[in-house]
Amino acid sequence: DPQGIPEVEPEEVALFLWNGLQESLTIPLAFHRAQEYLSGLPSGDERNASCKIVSEDLDVTIEKSGFLTNLATVNLIAQRDGVAVIPLDLFPTLRVSKVETAQGVPLDFVQENKDDDPDFGVILAAPLRQGEGAVLKIAYGGKDVVQNMGGGNYYPVARENWFPNAAQGLGDYAKYHMLFHVPKGLQLIATGSRLSQSNESNVTTSEWKTDTPLPVVGFTLGDFEMKETKVGAAPSGQLELDVFANRTPPDFITPLAGSGGLGTLATTPMLANELSQGQAALQIYANYFGPLPFSHVALTQQSACNYGQSWPMLVYLPICGFFDDAEALPRHRLGESHQSHVLESRHAARSGASVVGPDRGLSQLSRPMDERGLCRRLRLHLSSGHAPQAR
């Protein structure tokens, strides 16, 4: 595939091995085409997609049930002549209802049943020439993208493809402007800077914008309580750090509360502790990788207990990290070791070196580093009582 084999892109050639007995498919080898090896120089920044998304405007509504609808306006540029079909990555349960041009002219699209081949693509009215732009207005909606976990807790399931992207994975940088409409009483935190927030009837609307091109955007929402502090020296180099935890545990946690000598399993009492750990982690990793090119970072509680994840300016921390030491048992019941959550804030700093904008990328991580030694140093720092005090 000249645009890259989907499973191993950007490599264009792959060897697939099918096991008929186990009905499994593996890819033991993948290559670029022969002429790309003639120079003997690696090309790790190769992007061979037919088009590039420059910016997106997203108008998103999330219902109390978690059902998500969106009107996405996608601005793209063709990267070769003759581009007639625009392949886009979209979560399988998000079903497209219509696609139009900027002038409102309907366009055909392809999207089969979510259980069959849900890959989504738009068929243009006429092929694009290299460098020519196009605007697509895509309306879609679906369930299972955001799960209502009860107690005002919501779990974003689709992290990379809740919005249409160029199907090239992380590294396809674009700018985003986002409007979110959520039930009143819930707070939404998103990637980027919040421009405004208003309440009308039973809906809270917030507006967000990314100041630089980013490889991915995300959000979380819930009935949050928040603490904040500043990291770095004023007036320059100061970063705002916010930590959010839900006021009420999700439904699957509630049966454990009060059992076996456990407490309420509330997460808000640990806000100050998580804020202090996040502040220390940001300071340590900024010394290793340099300051983040952002003005703020949000550390947010997510309902999953066994992993954490970080997008630019938005870090998802496992809920078990918000239980105190007297409530360590639920961590083991829910599949997370006690120490792993302490180090999750490091991803906020590492994301600054890997997913921050067009001028910095994975190549910035070239400085030698003993990660295990750094993690041990961070643990000692946090347990020694010298961690910064949060306000």
Side-chain angles (χ1 to χ4, degrees):
D1 187 338
Q3 297 180 25
I5 304 295
E7 292 82 359
V8 294
E9 59 189 0
E11 280 80 358
E12 301 90 352
V13 182
L15 174 64
F16 286 76
L17 181 61
W18 171 256
N19 188 320
L21 294 178
Q22 299 179 357
E23 295 188 351
S24 63
L25 183 69
T26 58
I27 308 176
L29 297 171
F31 305 95
H32 290 295
R33 287 170 291 186
Q35 59 267 29
E36 298 185 36
Y37 293 97
L38 295 179
S39 66
L41 298 175
S43 179
D45 59 352
E46 180 187 52
R47 310 297 294 176
N48 51 17
S50 60
C51 63
K52 174 178 176 53
I53 294 178
V54 178
S55 65
E56 292 196 35
D57 283 88
L58 308 175
D59 192 343
V60 185
T61 298
I62 302 174
E63 301 176 7
K64 186 177 181 180
S65 64
F67 193 94
L68 183 146
T69 56
N70 185 18
L71 176 60
T73 302
V74 181
N75 295 271
L76 56 88
I77 295 177
Q79 297 194 123
R80 59 169 56 92
D81 290 332
V83 176
V85 178
I86 307 297
L88 295 168
D89 186 19
L90 200 61
F91 195 72
T93 61
L94 291 171
R95 312 309 295 170
V96 177
S97 57
K98 66 177 180 179
V99 181
E100 297 177 342
T101 66
Q103 294 74 32
V105 178
L107 293 174
D108 292 330
F109 62 90
V110 177
Q111 187 185 41
E112 296 186 26
N113 187 283
K114 65 181 180 65
D115 297 321
D116 295 331
D117 182 7
D119 290 350
F120 170 56
V122 178
I123 302 173
L124 301 177
L128 298 176
R129 297 184 301 274
Q130 184 175 2
E132 186 178 1
V135 176
L136 306 177
K137 292 187 175 182
I138 306 169
Y140 61 87
K143 59 181 182 178
D144 300 331
V145 178
V146 179
Q147 292 183 353
N148 184 346
M149 308 299 292
N153 293 263
Y154 287 81
Y155 178 67
V157 176
R159 302 289 173 90
E160 299 180 26
N161 53 3
W162 61 273
F163 59 97
N165 62 59
Q168 285 279 298
L170 296 180
D172 196 22
Y173 291 82
K175 286 189 174 183
Y176 296 87
H177 175 264
M178 299 170 286
L179 283 175
F180 289 96
H181 314 278
V182 301
K184 189 176 180 179
L186 296 179
Q187 189 173 3
L188 186 136
I189 312 300
T191 299
S193 301
R194 187 172 67 185
L195 303 180
S196 65
Q197 182 167 300
S198 61
N199 294 305
E200 184 176 350
S201 185
N202 294 321
V203 176
T204 297
T205 298
S206 58
E207 181 182 8
W208 300 77
K209 175 187 175 184
T210 62
D211 298 320
T212 60
L214 297 177
V216 67
V217 287
F219 66 89
T220 188
L221 73 157
D223 182 15
F224 292 127
E225 184 175 321
M226 185 265 282
K227 283 188 178 293
E228 62 181 1
T229 190
K230 300 287 186 181
V231 180
S236 62
Q238 199 167 43
L239 181 143
E240 180 179 316
L241 176 64
D242 304 325
V243 180
F244 298 85
N246 265 81
R247 291 184 170 89
T248 306
D251 288 348
F252 75 97
I253 293 290
T254 303
L256 294 174
S259 64
L262 296 176
T264 62
L265 298 181
T267 56
T268 54
M270 291 293 287
L271 272 171
N273 181 66
E274 292 294 327
L275 186 64
S276 180
Q277 293 182 7
Q279 187 178 8
L282 284 171
Q283 291 172 343
I284 291 173
Y285 282 88
N287 290 337
Y288 274 81
F289 302 113
L292 289 175
F294 307 131
S295 61
H296 65 279
V297 170
L299 309 180
T300 64
Q301 169 206 315
Q302 69 168 2
S303 296
C305 190
N306 60 342
Y307 80 100
Q309 190 175 43
S310 59
W311 281 172
M313 295 167 277
L314 176 62
V315 181
Y316 302 91
L317 293 176
I319 188 173
C320 292
F322 288 80
F323 298 147
D324 62 31
D325 290 337
E327 297 170 335
L329 179 59
R331 295 193 183 98
H332 299 288
R333 291 185 183 179
L334 297 171
E336 190 227 27
S337 66
H338 171 59
Q339 293 181 341
S340 64
H341 86 277
V342 176
L343 303 175
E344 189 57 42
S345 295
R346 71 184 185 188
H347 296 299
R350 293 192 66 182
S351 66
S354 60
V355 287
V356 297
D359 57 336
R360 298 178 66 182
L362 290 173
S363 61
Q364 295 292 318
L365 292 176
S366 59
R367 183 183 306 180
M369 181 186 74
D370 180 354
E371 183 170 322
R372 288 175 297 178
L374 194 56
C375 292
R376 286 195 296 271
R377 179 180 298 183
L378 180 56
R379 277 201 297 269
L380 289 172
H381 180 76
L382 295 174
S383 62
S384 65
H386 298 299
Q389 295 300 309
R391 62 179 172 88

